[in-house]
Amino acid sequence: MTSSQCCENPPTLNPASGQGYEAPNLRKLADKVAAAGFFVVVPDFLYGDPYVPDQKPIKTWIESHGPDKGFEDAKLVIEALKNKGVSAIGAAGFCWGAKVVAELAKSGYIKSAVMLHPSFVTVDDIKEVKCHIAILGAEIDKTSPPELLKQFEEILSLKSEVNSYVKIFPGVAHGWTVRYDTSDETAVKKAEEAHQGMLEWFAKHLN
């Protein structure tokens, strides 16, 4: 399989499981992707300061953590990988990270993308997507409700030049793929279902 890279950059995780870049759930997922044969990079685009709801309002936090900065950082990572001979690059973004992935997908920097419970992604973003893309959303999500995801699906279905897949997972809430309680068998199973979908998408579109 051609070498590939998945950027996973969620803004916050379950406090019981750690936060952001250092979160055990995220590290476990990165290991799972690597075990499937991918070269995985997990950049800390939040510079050690993930969003923690109890500490500050999201509007305050986002002022110094705009996805536009994450996009600029991601371009540097991709450039470094290409300089090392990596030819097929994919990116996965969770919540805040999905907006970064949207910018990468619009600009042609990556071959394949996966967004999981996206935040800040708009209809206009989806209209400009240039690479194969999967969007995995939650049934219970005020940030990207099912109605919005269905709009994304309709737009992508008209783009014959890219393969796309949109799935709304029933009975789960925003963040379910990374902010889950590892002692809750049902939560783990639902998260792993999404993880497997992400892996299958990259296996199909990064080769």
Side-chain angles (χ1 to χ4, degrees):
M1 179 178 292
T2 305
S3 296
S4 55
Q5 172 254 349
C6 301
C7 301
E8 289 132 7
N9 27 4
T12 180
L13 301 179
N14 188 331
S17 302
Q19 296 288 345
Y21 173 73
E22 297 292 343
N25 285 356
L26 175 62
R27 295 305 179 112
K28 187 185 302 182
L29 178 54
D31 288 343
K32 183 188 298 185
V33 177
F38 296 93
F39 178 72
V40 181
V41 177
V42 186
D44 183 9
F45 292 153
L46 303 178
Y47 293 89
D49 184 29
Y51 173 61
V52 182
D54 294 340
Q55 293 184 4
K56 64 181 70 174
I58 182 67
K59 290 183 178 179
T60 301
W61 180 86
I62 201 68
E63 289 176 0
S64 56
H65 299 83
D68 54 337
K69 178 62 167 62
F71 174 49
E72 294 302 318
D73 288 342
K75 288 193 291 185
L76 296 175
V77 174
I78 290 171
E79 180 181 358
L81 287 166
K82 288 184 175 179
N83 287 340
K84 291 183 176 294
V86 177
S87 57
I89 299 176
F94 303 75
C95 189
W96 177 98
K99 179 66 172 181
V100 177
V101 169
E103 295 301 322
L104 293 171
K106 288 158 54 178
S107 56
Y109 281 96
I110 55 177
K111 186 177 181 181
S112 182
V114 179
M115 297 180 183
L116 303 96
H117 38 88
S119 294
F120 309 116
V121 178
T122 67
V123 165
D124 287 339
D125 287 329
I126 299 302
K127 287 179 179 178
E128 296 182 39
V129 165
K130 294 183 174 69
C131 73
H132 306 311
I133 184 169
I135 302 174
L136 310 181
E139 179 183 24
I140 307 163
D141 192 340
K142 294 181 180 179
T143 306
S144 290
E147 295 78 13
L148 179 60
L149 298 182
K150 289 176 182 176
Q151 290 184 56
F152 292 172
E153 184 176 30
E154 291 174 5
I155 293 166
L156 290 168
S157 69
L158 301 176
K159 299 175 73 69
S160 59
E161 70 276 17
V162 302
N163 292 330
S164 62
Y165 175 68
V166 178
K167 180 174 181 178
I168 299 169
F169 286 72
V172 298
H174 183 88
W176 94 97
T177 67
V178 283
R179 291 184 314 198
Y180 59 90
D181 183 349
T182 55
S183 66
D184 184 331
E185 291 185 7
T186 299
V188 171
K189 183 178 180 180
K190 290 180 177 180
E192 289 182 342
E193 182 183 353
H195 299 166
Q196 185 61 33
M198 179 185 74
L199 279 171
E200 291 175 357
W201 186 260
F202 284 136
K204 182 177 180 180
H205 296 289
L206 289 178
N207 51 41

